[in-house]
Amino acid sequence: MDWYMMNCELLATCSALGYLEGDVYHREPDCLESVKDLIRYLRHEDETRDVRQQLGAAQILQNDLLPILVQYPQDKVLFDAVIRLMVNLTQPALLCFGKVPSDAASRHYFLQVLSYLQAYKEAFASEKVFVVLSEKLYNLLQLDWEQRQEEDTLLIERILLLVRNVLHVPPDPTEEQGVDGDASVHDRVLWALHISGMDDLLKFLASAQVEQQWALHVLEIISLMFRDQSPEELAALGQGTAGAEHGEDTRELETLRQRELAEKRARALQRPSRHSRFGGSYVLQGLKSIGDRDVVFHKGLHNLKSYTHDLGKEPRRVPRHRQAAPESEPSRRSARNVRLFLRHFCQDFLEGCYNRLMLLVKDQLVREKAQQHDETYYLWATAFFMAFNRCRGFRPELVSETVGVRAFHFIEQNLTTYYEMALMDKKEATTWARRMHLALKAYQELLRTVQEMDRSPEQAVRDSSQVIKSNIFYLMEYRELFLALFRKFDETKQPRSFLRDLVETAHLFLRMLERFCRGRANLVVQSKRVRRKKKPRAPVVPAPPSAAELEQLWEGLAPQLQACLEGEVPLPADVVPFDAASETPVEEQRAEALQRIQECLRDSRVPQALRLLRSARDVWPEGDVFGAADVGPPEETRLLREILVAPLPSESPAVTLGRGKTLGRCGPSAHPTAGHAPEEPEEEEEEDEEEEEQTVQVSEKEFNFLDYLKRFACAPVVRALVLLLRGYAQNSPRTNHCAARLLHRLARDLRMEPLLFQLSLFALFHRLLSDPAAAAHQELVALAKFILGKFFALAATNKKAFVELLFWKSPAIVCEMTKGYSSLQEGEGTTRSRVSPWTPQEEQELQELYWKYKEVEGGDIIAAILAHLPTPGRTRRQVVKQLVRMGLASSAKDFQQERKGTRIVLWTQEQEEELTRLFEEFQGSDDVLGNIMKHLTARRSRARVVEKLLGLGLVAERKELFKKRRRKGHGPGPGQAAASVPAVPAQDSSGEDEDSEEEEEEDEDEAEKGPMEEHWVPEEGAGQDLAQHLHQQGLAGPLRWLETCLRRAAGDREEDGVSHPVPLVPLTEENEDAMEDRRFRTLLRQLGLRPPASEQESFWRIPAALTPQQLRRAAASIARHGRDPSGSPQDPPKPPGCPQDPAPEPLPAGLGSDSESEEPVPVPIPVPSPVQPRTKRRRELASEDEDEDGGSSGTEPAPAAPCSEEDEEDEDPQPRGRRKRIRCLEEEEEEEEG
């Protein structure tokens, strides 16, 4: 962009900064205001980043900002403004555009901004700039926290961000084309950073106790410093002579020299001794040309080996979406002095900063205090510094923070997350693949570190490695990880470097697992099995009996009921209406009790119904729903008759206990549907297929290494290994060894040599054996000769082996190739999925049925064929395939099955008018939405109807459509029992939409906020049974708190003579959780306490109508069963105090209390409290490991001496079962604490 094309205002602002005369910069009087104006312009730039481009073209940073920064560091205000502007100008291009643009114009702007950033980086390669930044940062860090202002903290952060932005700029491949060892722009920036002492400040920030907030900034800067470095090369630097350091280069040059000499000798042998101008023409017999004749070859015979049909053809263009994923930036060798400085930095960082910094960063990641995807820096640091420590005289105590089972779990969890996101987020699959590669390298380095710990001469270090291995080999997730990565490898999304690391890591894991299993007779590991079963459809509910049928049934039950009331027929004693251990709320259990009484009566089981009625009356005496306490036989007869004819909702499933026992069914002759799965709501019309529910069964089994290795005997694994070996000449010797060893395991250890009989692999073997430098790949040559020998031996007996070369094979096909194609019995291998072939008679019948039902309009042809097909067991898919195979249809798309609900998409005007009319008709009913669904002509889901009602403005929110529940009266007498029967909270049987859960929650809230008047008085002894159940469930502390609140409120009312509603304010988490418990709230209602009346209230209240005597009776009913006989020390008794006394404002739980035993004091408030947001608090229960130990996450091994090989037989035996594994974990944690 030309300077004269700049915006006039921007040009004037830049001119007002100042001018450079020689090495001295003269600033203008308006320099500070101009810098602020530039910041303002950048804030309002457009999507093309025009301001940024104009400033980059004018070189404002190189010619103005950096000289101002260097010459005027004492002007604090100007210095802060210049730093702010430079942080904005140097921010990465990806942050400016969000992502790499796809269109040409935006991509041009992106590359233009990137070129300006590269120019900025070259300008920062100056010692003067970094000296100023380092001195300013040093002075700021010298300030104590009491003296450090907010502006100082912001300046520290901006300096760190500026260094991060400069190091983040990628290199320019067109400008930096030097060889390894030359100083690049990045090297010069690093050297300036080192000379200025900035690296020492970074180490101080990483190790200082008071500078914890900069942990992620420091780790990000360090990762950018070592972006182009290899930890192995840095560790090997300076350990020998110069010749030894360049040993790798010498070996590469020797390999290239041998290949060149071999090619020269081959050309010399091919050249004839006498030169001939006429090469002659030859006929290649057996090799057909385009026609039917043999190929005519017009060149010399020495060129015959290079003949191919592809000579002269243009290479086929590969589409972009099928091209191999590009490799990441290759590591290059920096200048020697830069590498020496970085090596010393690594040593100092490991010795003084690594463990502390990684602990802080992981804590921020776990607590979600970091930004998104910041865990990638943690993964990179884990892989890099652990590799450096391993190659530089392995000292396990330097990396103890990232060695342990928790480190394995953290990395495996992130790796699995990246793997799943790569499968789901197709557009960003390449980005997720790069993150997955970082996690894989960290996982590989953890395994290598554990392997080095096995070789340590220190017994404590070896014991720690055994504990780690016993845990990671026990869990199934670690063993299945590599299989999943192999099966989903996609070369278009993941680069070859990812495949290389995957193969090396899998080889290392298999070798460690094989050695761990050696010498252990029975190794027990965890096994998980996922079972999928289709959810049963809702059974057809029979129509309820009519009134006449119920009257006739009652006439037959009356004599039997009379005999039971007179004591002639004994009542069963094993009927229980209430289950204290069940998760079902008390209100729902009461509704179920009514339904079970009605069920027993309709099944003519009168003794069970009468016993159930009396037992339920004892459990739920409030409201006289099951009759008064002193009810007589006539009243019980009337109650049973009213229950028999009452229109109760559909039957709820039986309450099941832990081991599948059904609770409370009325004897052995229970209803035939008892114990069945609960009825599922009807599926929407869009979801025609049945859902599947998955259950994970965790068990333990003995581990067999060969059985586990057989899991790798599949086509995706072999295909990935062949793909990696195609570049054997560029691979490292270790990579080729790992790939060849995996193929050798599959072929030799499993005796599945035919698994490798594949044409692409044989073409690779042919290229390898004809390579002049094949002597450098002896292991691959030996494997190729072994596989080829096995193939030709099999081809002598099985002539179809040549055809099998075209296909990837499975273990079942391997068995057929070696033992015969009919060797597998029915139900084995691939024949399990095979279906019986179609006979000519069946094909004739299928053809006749097809022509018969083809012309039928509006019908499903395949469904009609299946209904009339004589041969049973055929599926829809088999019939469609056979029709396509017979040529009766072009493809399976001709028989696509229409799904229900897909035809109705838009609402017509007539349907909207019908919906409005139905809403106006049923607006006053209890179930508005249910009635509309019953009378709606066009079948639609409840969710669509609700959305349309909201769109038409007929309702303001979904709550208006929830089913209304009738409320029972206040203290009904015996004569009102019939009216109270329908008032029991019932479940909505038509809950078939996605709002059913919201409706249930709304109903529960309405039930809690029911009309409980202030003058309602609880009965004496109310809530005793429920208090006993709550005490048994571990709510003794909240019960004591409630009792204390009631007694204090009673004392206050006696002392003051005035009664005001007193809110119950829970100040501890235990009491707060109890207030959210349904049964505890039921107890509060039974005691006469009032729930929040409206949204203006947040707490339950002790009504003003309750007298002190009633409050003491309620407290006494709780105290009978709520006292903890053991006298728990968690809640010591406190002397009662007056709530009206001045007291400090109560703090939330866990903030202001020093002990968990603090009991809240009810604060009387005569007026309603203001609006308070009521948020639910959740507590995450720590694992047993975290409860027992508070130390770091990893195993802290003892220091190690130089590595030496140890005998594998010295390993401890594998722990058996879960108990042994937990003990090993505890031992590991004790070592951490030590």
Side-chain angles (χ1 to χ4, degrees):
M1 181 176 295
D2 192 1
W3 167 263
Y4 299 101
M5 296 297 292
M6 287 184 63
N7 182 276
C8 57
E9 296 182 1
L10 195 61
L11 179 60
T13 305
C14 295
S15 301
L17 290 173
Y19 60 93
L20 185 65
E21 185 177 2
D23 294 337
V24 180
Y25 189 87
H26 302 277
R27 61 176 179 175
E28 297 289 345
D30 297 333
C31 180
L32 177 61
E33 298 299 327
S34 300
V35 172
K36 293 181 179 180
D37 289 339
L38 291 178
I39 296 174
R40 192 177 302 110
Y41 290 148
L42 285 172
R43 189 182 301 125
H44 299 287
E45 61 183 352
D46 58 8
E47 64 277 0
T48 63
R49 309 303 175 203
D50 54 342
V51 177
R52 194 176 304 271
Q53 292 189 54
Q54 295 181 45
L55 294 179
Q59 298 183 357
I60 294 297
L61 186 139
Q62 297 95 315
N63 298 333
D64 294 277
L65 298 182
L66 288 181
I68 292 175
L69 184 75
V70 172
Q71 296 187 23
Y72 302 98
Q74 68 279 0
D75 191 343
K76 184 178 180 181
V77 179
L78 180 61
F79 188 88
D80 292 349
V82 171
I83 289 293
R84 285 180 58 194
L85 180 56
M86 287 197 298
V87 168
N88 197 337
L89 283 176
T90 58
Q91 68 177 354
L94 281 176
L95 290 181
C96 298
F97 291 87
K99 62 178 182 179
V100 180
S102 56
D103 58 304
S106 300
R107 191 175 182 86
H108 170 72
Y109 298 139
F110 176 85
L111 295 177
Q112 196 72 25
V113 171
L114 187 61
S115 65
Y116 295 141
L117 289 175
Q118 292 166 350
Y120 295 160
K121 185 173 183 178
E122 188 171 359
F124 267 93
S126 171
E127 299 178 9
K128 298 180 180 180
V129 177
F130 275 98
V131 165
V132 172
L133 293 176
S134 300
E135 290 179 354
K136 179 63 70 171
L137 184 60
Y138 176 78
N139 295 331
L140 293 174
L141 294 178
Q142 290 296 317
L143 299 176
D144 296 334
W145 278 101
E146 295 80 4
Q147 302 174 356
R148 189 178 299 178
Q149 303 295 326
E150 183 179 359
E151 294 80 6
D152 300 331
T153 304
L154 288 176
L155 184 56
I156 293 175
E157 184 177 8
R158 286 168 183 160
I159 292 176
L160 294 177
L161 288 178
L162 179 61
V163 176
R164 189 277 310 266
N165 292 344
V166 172
L167 293 175
H168 189 275
V169 178
D172 187 1
T174 59
E175 297 293 334
E176 301 182 16
Q177 297 180 351
V179 297
D180 285 349
D182 289 348
S184 62
V185 176
H186 191 75
D187 293 342
R188 288 190 279 127
V189 171
L190 290 179
W191 187 250
L193 184 145
H194 170 59
I195 293 299
S196 65
M198 180 70 73
D199 55 337
D200 296 328
L201 294 178
L202 293 176
K203 288 184 284 188
F204 170 76
L205 290 173
S207 59
Q209 176 72 23
V210 295
E211 307 292 348
Q212 298 182 5
Q213 57 179 330
W214 315 118
L216 273 170
H217 290 79
V218 173
L219 187 62
E220 186 176 1
I221 292 174
I222 292 175
S223 67
L224 294 173
M225 289 172 56
F226 291 90
R227 180 175 56 188
D228 299 333
Q229 307 301 324
S230 170
E232 290 81 5
E233 293 181 0
L234 286 181
L237 186 64
Q239 291 185 354
T241 60
E245 294 179 8
H246 297 286
E248 187 70 23
D249 297 339
T250 305
R251 285 191 293 271
E252 287 187 18
L253 290 175
E254 185 64 26
T255 301
L256 293 176
R257 181 173 176 274
Q258 290 179 2
R259 180 177 286 112
E260 184 179 3
L261 291 177
E263 291 176 356
K264 186 181 297 185
R265 286 194 300 267
R267 287 194 300 268
L269 292 175
Q270 290 176 0
R271 187 180 299 111
S273 58
R274 179 178 177 275
H275 173 70
S276 175
R277 184 177 298 177
F278 304 101
S281 299
Y282 304 92
V283 176
L284 305 181
Q285 295 183 358
L287 186 62
K288 299 296 182 181
S289 62
I290 299 177
D292 296 335
R293 298 182 179 181
D294 295 335
V295 173
V296 178
F297 189 66
H298 297 283
K299 295 183 179 181
L301 292 179
H302 59 276
N303 295 322
L304 180 61
K305 292 184 178 180
S306 61
Y307 175 77
T308 175
H309 285 300
D310 296 330
L311 289 176
K313 295 182 181 179
E314 294 183 1
R316 186 176 180 180
R317 179 181 174 274
V318 181
R320 180 177 299 178
H321 67 278
R322 293 185 181 179
Q323 293 178 0
E327 293 288 340
S328 57
E329 298 178 4
S331 60
R332 61 176 301 276
R333 188 176 301 166
S334 302
R336 182 177 176 82
N337 56 348
V338 175
R339 284 185 289 143
L340 287 172
F341 138 65
L342 292 177
R343 188 198 65 181
H344 291 300
F345 183 91
C346 284
Q347 292 176 349
D348 297 340
F349 183 78
L350 278 173
E351 293 177 357
C353 311
Y354 178 80
N355 286 330
R356 174 171 180 77
L357 182 65
M358 298 300 281
L359 177 62
L360 293 175
V361 171
K362 187 175 181 182
D363 180 72
Q364 295 185 19
L365 294 175
V366 172
R367 297 177 182 271
E368 297 182 356
K369 294 182 179 179
Q371 296 182 2
Q372 195 175 16
H373 308 311
D374 275 351
E375 71 276 359
T376 54
Y377 301 112
Y378 179 87
L379 298 174
W380 173 88
T382 300
F384 188 91
F385 289 105
M386 291 182 70
F388 183 86
N389 178 65
R390 177 176 50 84
C391 300
R392 186 76 178 176
F394 179 67
R395 295 173 59 188
E397 70 275 7
L398 298 182
V399 292
S400 59
E401 177 57 36
T402 52
V403 178
V405 178
R406 294 180 184 176
F408 272 98
H409 172 71
F410 180 79
I411 295 177
E412 186 270 337
Q413 193 176 20
N414 283 279
L415 184 56
T416 305
T417 302
Y418 299 152
Y419 164 76
E420 294 174 352
M421 291 302 300
L423 297 180
M424 292 187 295
D425 192 1
K426 299 294 184 181
K427 293 183 179 180
E428 300 294 332
T430 305
T431 304
W432 290 110
R434 285 198 295 267
R435 299 189 182 111
M436 186 164 41
H437 192 188
L438 283 175
L440 180 63
K441 289 198 289 188
Y443 192 86
Q444 177 187 12
E445 199 51 50
L446 275 179
L447 290 176
R448 289 186 174 180
T449 302
V450 173
Q451 185 185 31
E452 288 293 331
M453 291 170 63
D454 281 338
R455 301 170 182 171
S456 174
E458 298 290 337
Q459 183 62 34
V461 177
R462 295 199 299 270
D463 293 342
S464 299
S465 69
Q466 292 300 314
V467 172
I468 296 174
K469 289 193 295 184
S470 63
N471 282 276
I472 63 174
F473 293 152
Y474 174 82
L475 294 177
M476 182 179 178
E477 288 80 5
Y478 299 105
R479 302 193 305 271
E480 298 294 325
L481 180 63
F482 301 103
L483 288 168
L485 294 179
F486 268 120
R487 289 171 179 169
K488 295 300 180 180
F489 175 76
D490 186 2
E491 59 178 330
T492 62
K493 304 295 189 301
Q494 297 160 319
R496 290 175 58 89
S497 57
F498 174 84
L499 180 60
R500 179 194 65 225
D501 289 328
L502 176 59
V503 170
E504 293 181 3
T505 310
H507 165 72
L508 179 61
F509 185 84
L510 287 174
R511 187 174 64 179
M512 293 176 61
L513 182 58
E514 183 181 21
R515 293 181 178 179
F516 189 77
C517 296
R518 191 179 302 164
R520 289 173 170 81
N522 45 0
L523 178 63
V524 179
V525 296
Q526 187 187 73
S527 176
K528 292 183 180 180
R529 185 177 182 183
V530 180
R531 289 191 175 183
R532 296 179 176 87
K533 60 179 181 179
K534 293 184 177 180
K535 293 183 178 180
R537 292 184 177 272
V540 180
V541 179
S546 61
E549 295 176 350
L550 291 176
E551 288 294 337
Q552 184 179 0
L553 177 61
W554 177 253
E555 293 177 0
L557 297 178
Q560 188 178 358
L561 178 60
Q562 187 66 25
C564 293
L565 292 174
E566 294 177 357
E568 299 178 0
V569 178
L571 302 182
D574 57 346
V575 179
V576 181
F578 176 78
D579 179 19
S582 174
E583 296 181 358
T584 307
V586 179
E587 295 295 331
E588 295 183 10
Q589 292 197 38
R590 185 172 65 176
E592 291 176 0
L594 280 173
Q595 296 169 2
R596 290 164 56 192
I597 294 174
Q598 187 184 73
E599 174 192 344
C600 293
L601 289 175
R602 293 185 179 183
D603 291 345
S604 301
R605 292 181 274 117
V606 179
Q608 289 86 344
L610 184 58
R611 169 58 68 185
L612 196 55
L613 177 67
R614 293 177 177 177
S615 301
R617 185 187 308 138
D618 297 337
V619 176
W620 294 286
E622 67 278 359
D624 293 343
V625 176
F626 299 95
D630 55 349
V631 68
E635 294 296 332
E636 287 184 335
T637 304
R638 185 178 59 81
L639 276 174
L640 290 175
R641 186 178 185 280
E642 291 173 352
I643 292 175
L644 175 66
V645 300
L648 297 181
S650 59
E651 177 194 3
S652 298
V655 182
T656 56
L657 296 179
R659 295 186 179 274
K661 299 179 181 179
T662 304
L663 174 68
R665 284 297 174 193
C666 302
S669 58
H671 195 275
T673 61
H676 286 191
E679 295 182 3
E680 297 290 335
E682 292 184 11
E683 299 173 335
E684 295 184 3
E685 287 79 356
E686 291 87 348
E687 299 179 1
D688 181 55
E689 300 179 357
E690 295 182 355
E691 298 181 356
E692 292 184 352
E693 61 178 8
Q694 299 182 357
T695 57
V696 180
Q697 296 182 349
V698 181
S699 60
E700 291 184 339
K701 67 176 183 179
E702 291 190 5
F703 181 76
N704 189 307
F705 180 75
L706 288 181
D707 291 341
Y708 173 69
L709 189 59
K710 289 178 183 178
R711 305 283 304 279
F712 288 84
C714 57
V717 176
V718 180
R719 189 184 297 114
L721 294 174
V722 172
L723 178 63
L724 180 62
L725 286 178
R726 286 179 183 174
Y728 69 91
Q730 291 79 30
N731 294 340
S732 64
R734 174 173 175 77
T735 302
N736 289 333
H737 165 73
C738 294
R741 189 69 182 91
L742 280 175
L743 291 175
H744 184 270
R745 286 182 184 273
L746 300 179
R748 186 65 180 269
D749 297 354
L750 298 180
R751 302 184 181 277
M752 291 187 182
E753 296 88 355
L755 193 68
L756 306 184
F757 295 169
Q758 220 284 330
L759 195 58
S760 58
L761 183 59
F762 279 19
L764 173 63
F765 287 161
H766 174 70
R767 183 160 61 92
L768 173 66
L769 295 177
S770 59
D771 189 356
H777 311 287
Q778 290 296 330
E779 192 173 9
L780 291 178
V781 171
L783 177 65
K785 292 180 179 179
F786 171 74
I787 297 299
L788 291 174
K790 291 292 183 179
F791 171 75
F792 290 117
L794 179 64
T797 57
N798 184 6
K799 300 299 181 182
K800 299 179 181 179
F802 294 97
V803 182
E804 295 283 2
L805 286 174
L806 303 175
F807 308 99
W808 299 99
K809 286 161 277 298
S810 63
I813 298 178
V814 168
C815 183
E816 289 185 337
M817 289 180 62
T818 54
K819 299 181 180 179
Y821 288 96
S822 60
S823 59
L824 291 179
Q825 302 296 326
E826 186 174 355
E828 297 180 6
T830 58
T831 57
R832 180 185 305 176
S833 59
R834 295 176 183 174
V835 296
S836 57
W838 291 75
T839 62
Q841 182 180 0
E842 292 175 348
E843 292 181 353
Q844 182 65 25
E845 295 172 352
L846 178 62
Q847 185 176 5
E848 294 176 357
L849 290 174
Y850 172 75
W851 291 113
K852 178 179 179 180
Y853 295 104
K854 181 182 179 182
E855 305 300 332
V856 179
E857 297 182 358
D860 191 355
I861 303 177
I862 305 301
I865 292 176
L866 288 173
H868 298 83
L869 201 62
T871 306
R874 296 291 184 184
T875 63
R876 180 185 183 91
R877 186 176 182 181
Q878 295 172 5
V879 172
V880 171
K881 280 188 174 182
Q882 186 62 24
L883 289 175
V884 175
R885 190 179 294 112
M886 294 172 61
L888 299 177
S890 59
S891 67
K893 296 181 179 180
D894 299 341
F895 307 103
Q896 289 184 351
Q897 188 177 9
E898 296 184 2
R899 301 183 65 182
K900 297 181 181 179
T902 56
R903 296 181 178 179
I904 304 177
V905 178
L906 301 177
W907 290 75
T908 62
Q909 184 178 359
E910 292 78 7
Q911 292 172 351
E912 291 181 357
E913 294 176 355
E914 180 190 12
L915 180 62
T916 305
R917 178 180 55 81
L918 291 176
F919 176 77
E920 295 174 354
E921 180 180 353
F922 298 107
Q923 188 174 4
S925 61
D926 293 342
D927 189 5
V928 181
L929 188 59
N931 293 327
I932 292 177
M933 295 297 299
K934 292 179 182 177
H935 297 83
L936 200 62
T937 304
R939 294 297 305 276
R940 294 183 183 270
S941 65
R942 294 171 65 93
R944 301 295 176 266
V945 174
V946 171
E947 291 177 1
K948 194 61 182 178
L949 289 173
L950 292 172
L952 294 175
L954 299 177
V955 293
E957 50 187 9
R958 295 174 182 264
K959 294 181 180 180
E960 301 178 20
L961 299 175
F962 291 161
K963 187 175 180 181
K964 301 180 179 61
R965 305 298 175 92
R966 300 177 184 175
R967 311 282 168 72
K968 55 179 179 289
H970 309 296
Q976 297 175 340
S980 66
V981 171
V984 176
Q987 296 180 352
D988 187 4
S989 60
S990 62
E992 59 182 358
D993 71 339
E994 57 190 8
D995 303 325
S996 59
E997 296 181 359
E998 299 178 4
E999 184 175 345
E1000 291 175 2
E1001 294 177 0
E1002 180 68 20
D1003 294 336
E1004 293 168 4
D1005 295 339
E1006 291 179 359
E1008 292 178 359
K1009 301 178 183 178
M1012 182 178 293
E1013 300 294 339
E1014 295 285 345
H1015 63 270
W1016 184 83
V1017 177
E1019 299 179 359
E1020 183 176 359
Q1024 291 184 9
D1025 297 335
L1026 187 53
Q1028 180 180 4
H1029 291 301
L1030 293 175
H1031 181 269
Q1032 295 175 356
Q1033 294 179 7
L1035 295 179
L1039 289 175
R1040 289 194 300 274
W1041 165 70
L1042 179 59
E1043 176 194 352
T1044 304
C1045 293
L1046 294 175
R1047 294 189 185 277
R1048 287 176 178 173
D1052 295 339
R1053 293 183 181 183
E1054 282 185 348
E1055 181 179 352
D1056 300 339
V1058 181
S1059 298
H1060 296 291
V1062 180
L1064 295 177
V1065 184
L1067 298 184
T1068 63
E1069 292 188 1
E1070 182 182 14
N1071 296 336
E1072 186 177 356
D1073 294 341
M1075 294 300 292
E1076 296 180 359
D1077 187 85
R1078 295 180 179 179
R1079 299 183 183 181
F1080 193 81
R1081 295 198 299 262
T1082 303
L1083 174 64
L1084 297 180
R1085 286 194 294 271
Q1086 292 181 5
L1087 297 177
L1089 305 188
R1090 180 172 63 82
S1094 63
E1095 295 181 356
Q1096 301 295 326
E1097 296 182 358
S1098 301
F1099 303 106
W1100 284 69
R1101 280 169 166 73
I1102 302 176
L1106 295 181
T1107 63
Q1109 293 77 15
Q1110 293 170 348
L1111 292 177
R1112 287 195 175 92
R1113 283 202 301 266
S1117 63
I1118 300 176
R1120 294 178 185 177
H1121 299 286
R1123 289 290 184 187
D1124 189 1
S1126 61
S1128 174
Q1130 296 178 356
D1131 294 291
K1134 290 185 179 182
C1138 180
Q1140 283 83 0
D1141 293 341
E1145 183 179 358
L1147 298 177
L1151 293 180
S1153 59
D1154 295 332
S1155 64
E1156 298 179 358
S1157 60
E1158 179 181 354
E1159 295 182 357
V1161 179
V1163 181
I1165 302 176
V1167 294
S1169 60
V1171 179
Q1172 298 180 5
R1174 189 178 185 183
T1175 58
K1176 293 185 178 180
R1177 301 180 59 188
R1178 297 183 179 178
R1179 293 181 299 168
E1180 296 184 0
L1181 298 179
S1183 61
E1184 295 180 0
D1185 299 340
E1186 296 174 355
D1187 292 341
E1188 294 173 4
D1189 110 52
S1192 60
S1193 60
T1195 306
E1196 184 175 354
C1203 304
S1204 62
E1205 291 292 336
E1206 296 292 332
D1207 192 359
E1208 297 293 337
E1209 297 179 359
D1210 296 338
E1211 297 176 354
D1212 295 337
Q1214 167 68 14
R1216 303 181 182 179
R1218 181 70 176 180
R1219 184 177 305 171
K1220 180 68 175 178
R1221 193 178 71 86
I1222 294 176
R1223 186 183 67 79
C1224 293
L1225 278 175
E1226 294 174 353
E1227 292 177 357
E1228 175 190 354
E1229 292 163 0
E1230 291 174 1
E1231 293 175 5
E1232 293 174 3
E1233 293 177 352

